[in-house]
Amino acid sequence: MIDNINGSDPIPGLIEDSKMLVFFWLAIISLFLTVICTLEVSLGMRRMVILDDVSPIQQENVPKVSVIIPACNEAATIETALKSILEMDYAHLEVIAVNDRSVDRTGAVLEQMQKQYPGLQVYDISVLPEGWLGKNHALQYGAERAQGEYLLFTDADIIMEKSSLARAMHHMLEKKLDHMSMFFKSIAPGGLLNALILDAGIGLMLLLKPWKAKDPNSKRYMGVGAFNLVKSDVYREIDGHRTIAMHPIDDVMLGKVIKHRGFSQDCLIGHNFIQAEWYVDVRDFINGLMKNTFAFCNYNMANVLFGILIIMIINILPLFAIFFTSGITRGLFGSAVMVRILSFAGGFSYTGINSWYSVWVLFTPYVFIYITLKAAITTTINRGITWRGTYYSLDELKANLQKVKM
């Protein structure tokens, strides 16, 4: 046996060097992915039309637009939202509110508003047919009663500036679009909630790349529940919301069906014209995402675990690694953390929100991992989801998913 000349065992040193090499490459991967994602969203948004840059349409002979608002227990927000729509500066407007089995004062609020605005059409749904999600059915119900050449689907908490529709229709007609959606500004209290909303928005952009929706040669698509404007004949040709009757992500999936049937679409940025208090607190945010997070993963646990792995490598590992690495490796991890914080600061600044909220981005990954795991596990154990007091089976949800698989 030949003894080590220096009397020391080289194996621990080699193992330590191997660990440091692994962290070095993880640092490079983390920084690279963070920079690439930041650039993709930033450059992609520059390719999107901003509603501020679109002038209102001339009011002579404008097409009739039917605005359809489903409302399930929306007594707290429906009055303000409806008033903003009813008072919009658009000459040929039809407004339809669908009270979808509400058990709060939504019906009473709508009845009172109908007295103030006689042109407002109000319909009440008391029974949900089999094979439908509540909101999807309410949207279809309203659309079937609409007379407009164009249908605008929106939510009962969305507030629109008076010229919003006139500007949107100008772009719609000028570009000869069949469908147009629009991003809105979320008004929320507190740093963590704002960071969660922005993080969710960035993730959605990375996944769907809405700036490519207008490209007829791209399969990319987009839909936004706050503002989905579609030609009524196109809506009928795709069989409306029946195609996505049991899909929890109704807004995005409507955009997908329209685009994949060969129709033209675009997605705009309308932060200065459309806004909503999307969620009132973090608990509300978590509950809101529970119904559709697993659907975004196509109800596939492997997709859930892969998504969590990506979150950990890009968003969690860099911060922890700063404390047990050194030299250039620590610098790379630190750079990844700073790029993420600065990108969020830029996003908040763009939407007029306090840029200091960006420090909360250090905590958002844990919330998203919690939501993703809880949604997947709860849906699997319960064999379905419960939303707005109604249970929908996983078998039905998966069956509809096959029609519009993401």
Side-chain angles (χ1 to χ4, degrees):
M1 180 180 293
I2 300 175
D3 295 332
N4 187 288
I5 296 176
N6 296 322
S8 61
D9 187 353
I11 300 301
L14 289 173
I15 293 175
E16 189 66 25
D17 289 344
S18 297
K19 288 181 178 178
M20 290 300 102
L21 186 61
V22 169
F23 278 111
F24 172 75
W25 282 108
L26 282 174
I28 290 179
I29 293 171
S30 179
L31 178 58
F32 175 77
L33 291 176
T34 302
V35 171
I36 289 298
C37 290
T38 300
L39 286 175
E40 183 167 24
V41 172
S42 177
L43 295 176
M45 289 185 66
R46 291 175 182 271
R47 295 165 57 187
M48 298 174 68
V49 174
I50 302 173
L51 195 61
D52 305 61
D53 297 333
V54 180
S55 59
I57 194 171
Q58 296 298 317
Q59 293 292 323
E60 297 84 9
N61 301 317
V62 292
K64 185 174 185 178
V65 177
S66 298
V67 185
I68 299 158
I69 309 104
C72 180
N73 299 328
E74 303 282 4
T77 61
I78 185 70
E79 183 174 0
T80 303
L82 263 179
K83 280 185 177 180
S84 75
I85 293 170
L86 288 161
E87 295 173 0
M88 280 197 299
D89 184 18
Y90 191 80
H92 206 183
L93 189 66
E94 176 184 57
V95 181
I96 299 173
V98 182
N99 180 22
D100 180 25
R101 300 165 296 136
S102 297
V103 295
D104 65 355
R105 294 190 63 257
T106 298
V109 172
L110 289 175
E111 184 178 348
Q112 185 62 36
M113 289 197 68
Q114 201 170 25
K115 294 177 182 177
Q116 184 179 356
Y117 299 92
L120 172 63
Q121 299 179 42
V122 177
Y123 296 96
D124 293 295
I125 296 175
S126 57
V127 178
L128 177 66
E130 289 188 11
W132 281 94
L133 283 174
K135 182 183 178 183
N136 301 19
H137 174 253
L139 291 168
Q140 179 77 28
Y141 189 93
E144 288 174 349
R145 286 150 182 80
Q147 301 297 317
E149 298 173 58
Y150 290 81
L151 307 175
L152 173 58
F153 299 104
T154 185
D155 292 327
D157 57 355
I158 301 300
I159 299 172
M160 299 190 188
E161 190 270 342
K162 287 188 175 183
S163 68
S164 301
L165 183 57
R167 292 172 186 268
M169 283 301 297
H170 188 175
H171 185 77
M172 190 87 169
L173 296 174
E174 183 179 56
K175 301 299 181 182
K176 297 181 173 58
L177 298 174
D178 298 307
H179 170 244
M180 188 177 78
S181 57
M182 198 170 330
F183 285 118
F184 63 98
K185 180 179 180 179
S186 175
I187 303 171
L192 179 56
L193 181 55
N194 275 285
L196 286 167
I197 292 172
L198 180 57
D199 207 356
I202 291 173
L204 188 69
M205 284 194 163
L206 285 170
L207 180 65
L208 299 178
K209 298 175 177 48
W211 47 88
K212 294 185 178 181
K214 59 187 173 185
D215 182 357
N217 297 316
S218 172
K219 292 185 178 180
R220 296 291 179 175
Y221 54 87
M222 193 61 212
V224 180
F227 198 100
N228 259 341
L229 180 62
V230 58
K231 293 177 70 173
S232 57
D233 57 348
V234 169
Y235 182 79
R236 288 191 292 269
E237 187 167 336
I238 67 168
D239 206 17
H241 281 83
R242 286 192 182 88
T243 308
I244 54 172
M246 288 292 294
H247 205 298
I249 315 171
D250 60 278
D251 51 355
V252 176
M253 290 300 101
L254 181 66
K256 179 177 183 178
V257 173
I258 291 171
K259 180 66 180 290
H260 287 191
R261 294 285 182 88
F263 296 105
S264 60
Q265 71 177 204
D266 197 2
C267 182
L268 277 63
I269 297 175
H271 290 148
N272 293 327
F273 295 86
I274 303 171
Q275 62 183 34
E277 188 176 9
W278 200 14
Y279 297 106
V280 298
D281 54 32
V282 174
R283 183 188 296 274
D284 190 35
F285 177 87
I286 291 172
N287 291 335
L289 265 63
M290 285 295 295
K291 81 177 192 304
N292 52 24
T293 302
F294 201 23
F296 259 109
C297 297
N298 290 326
Y299 302 109
N300 186 309
M301 192 62 72
N303 291 342
V304 169
L305 297 176
F306 178 74
I308 290 174
L309 178 63
I310 295 298
I311 291 175
M312 293 180 68
I313 291 175
I314 299 179
N315 301 334
I316 294 179
L317 175 63
L319 180 62
F320 279 94
I322 290 174
F323 298 100
F324 56 81
T325 57
S326 60
I328 190 171
T329 302
R330 174 182 288 176
L332 291 169
F333 277 125
S335 297
V337 173
M338 288 307 301
V339 169
R340 181 165 161 79
I341 291 175
L342 291 174
S343 68
F344 270 66
F348 283 135
S349 177
Y350 180 78
T351 54
I353 298 174
N354 189 343
S355 296
W356 286 104
Y357 285 166
S358 59
V359 297
W360 284 102
V361 73
L362 301 177
F363 301 92
T364 58
Y366 305 100
V367 179
F368 282 110
I369 288 176
Y370 170 77
I371 293 172
T372 304
L373 282 176
K374 184 177 180 181
I377 294 171
T378 302
T379 303
T380 301
I381 292 175
N382 295 336
R383 298 300 302 166
I385 62 173
T386 299
W387 182 242
R388 304 272 180 153
T390 304
Y391 173 79
Y392 307 99
S393 77
L394 186 57
D395 290 337
E396 288 180 297
L397 295 171
K398 283 185 174 180
N400 189 246
L401 179 67
Q402 299 305 316
K403 301 178 182 179
V404 287
K405 196 167 184 179
M406 295 180 65

